[in-house]
Amino acid sequence: MLKIGLTGGIGSGKTTVAEVFAQLGIAIYLSDDRAKALMVSDEELKSDIISLFGEESYDVGQLNRPFIASKVFSDKKELEKLNALVHPALKKDFDLWCNEQTSPYVLKEAAILFESGANKGLDKVILVEAPKEMRLSRVMNRDSVSSDSVLARMEVQWSDERKKLLSDYVILNDDKCSVLEQVLKIHNELVSND
């Protein structure tokens, strides 16, 4: 079974693209969702996060996301420390998940696929890109956050130009090009190569 990465900067439309692949019967691993779940359910990981950031990391058993975000998006070193804890647990979870799938290939959706090294062990990578202003607007509207907050998150992610060099496919999600046509072309190629 092929393991395909799906990445793109915040607000690029990775989730929209993943939904189109899901409609084609492809199993999708949503790394951000699984990471959030693991940070609550994996006791060892939870203990490591508390050791790193303190008891305030959790509130009534739930991850204190605003507190964690305030720590990691203002300090690159802290983000690297958190990622060093979360990504090994996520890789193990992804491998177990893959063993349960039956689709011709699987997609691993992750915003920081390259930055985290999660592209290692994948067969191909699809990059979703969109103009920066469009991404900024999408995230501000979706999350009801300030432009400064979104820009801070963008700053810790690699540029699309850098990601393109390591990607096998690029989907342009600019509300002009047909995402469906681009997905179908990639899907048909992946299925025929399987």
Side-chain angles (χ1 to χ4, degrees):
M1 171 191 308
L2 290 174
K3 296 175 183 176
I4 311 298
L6 178 66
T7 193
I10 185 170
S12 62
K14 293 178 302 299
T15 302
T16 300
V17 170
E19 288 168 358
V20 176
F21 278 102
Q23 291 295 316
L24 296 171
I26 302 307
I28 313 292
Y29 183 88
L30 300 172
S31 296
D32 286 351
D33 291 350
R34 288 302 304 148
K36 289 172 190 164
L38 288 170
M39 285 189 273
V40 174
S41 65
D42 184 316
E43 291 301 324
E44 182 179 346
L45 179 57
K46 195 172 171 179
S47 175
D48 289 342
I49 292 170
I50 291 169
S51 294
L52 181 60
F53 296 118
E55 294 292 333
E56 198 176 344
S57 302
Y58 289 85
D59 185 20
V60 194
Q62 294 302 308
L63 186 68
N64 185 344
R65 292 181 62 205
F67 173 76
I68 297 291
S70 74
K71 295 287 187 188
V72 301
F73 291 120
S74 62
D75 186 337
K76 189 176 180 180
K77 295 263 187 243
E78 294 300 301
L79 179 60
E80 289 171 0
K81 290 176 188 175
L82 178 63
N83 285 341
L85 297 175
V86 174
H87 290 294
L90 200 59
K91 183 188 180 324
K92 182 179 174 185
D93 186 65
F94 174 68
D95 290 341
L96 292 170
W97 176 86
C98 284
N99 292 335
E100 299 170 355
Q101 305 312 309
T102 58
S103 59
Y105 60 91
V106 296
L107 281 185
K108 180 179 189 176
E109 183 272 335
I112 57 169
L113 188 78
F114 295 119
E115 296 91 330
S116 67
N119 60 309
K120 296 178 180 111
L122 298 177
D123 298 295
K124 302 269 185 193
V125 175
I126 302 166
L127 170 64
V128 180
E129 64 175 4
K132 184 175 182 177
E133 289 305 315
M134 183 176 280
R135 293 171 48 208
L136 186 62
S137 175
R138 286 175 180 166
V139 179
M140 287 170 62
N141 291 333
R142 180 189 72 197
D143 297 347
S144 299
V145 293
S146 70
S147 61
D148 288 344
S149 172
V150 180
L151 290 169
R153 292 181 189 190
M154 286 181 172
E155 284 298 312
V156 299
Q157 295 181 351
W158 288 7
S159 69
D160 284 348
E161 291 72 30
R162 187 173 180 188
K163 291 177 183 179
K164 268 188 200 179
L165 297 173
L166 300 170
S167 299
D168 300 283
Y169 306 99
V170 177
I171 293 177
L172 181 57
N173 184 17
D174 63 356
D175 296 337
K176 294 176 187 167
C177 301
S178 169
V179 168
L180 177 60
E181 286 178 14
Q182 295 174 83
V183 168
L184 285 172
K185 183 178 180 186
I186 293 168
H187 172 76
N188 290 334
E189 186 174 320
L190 291 171
V191 170
S192 69
N193 289 338
D194 187 28

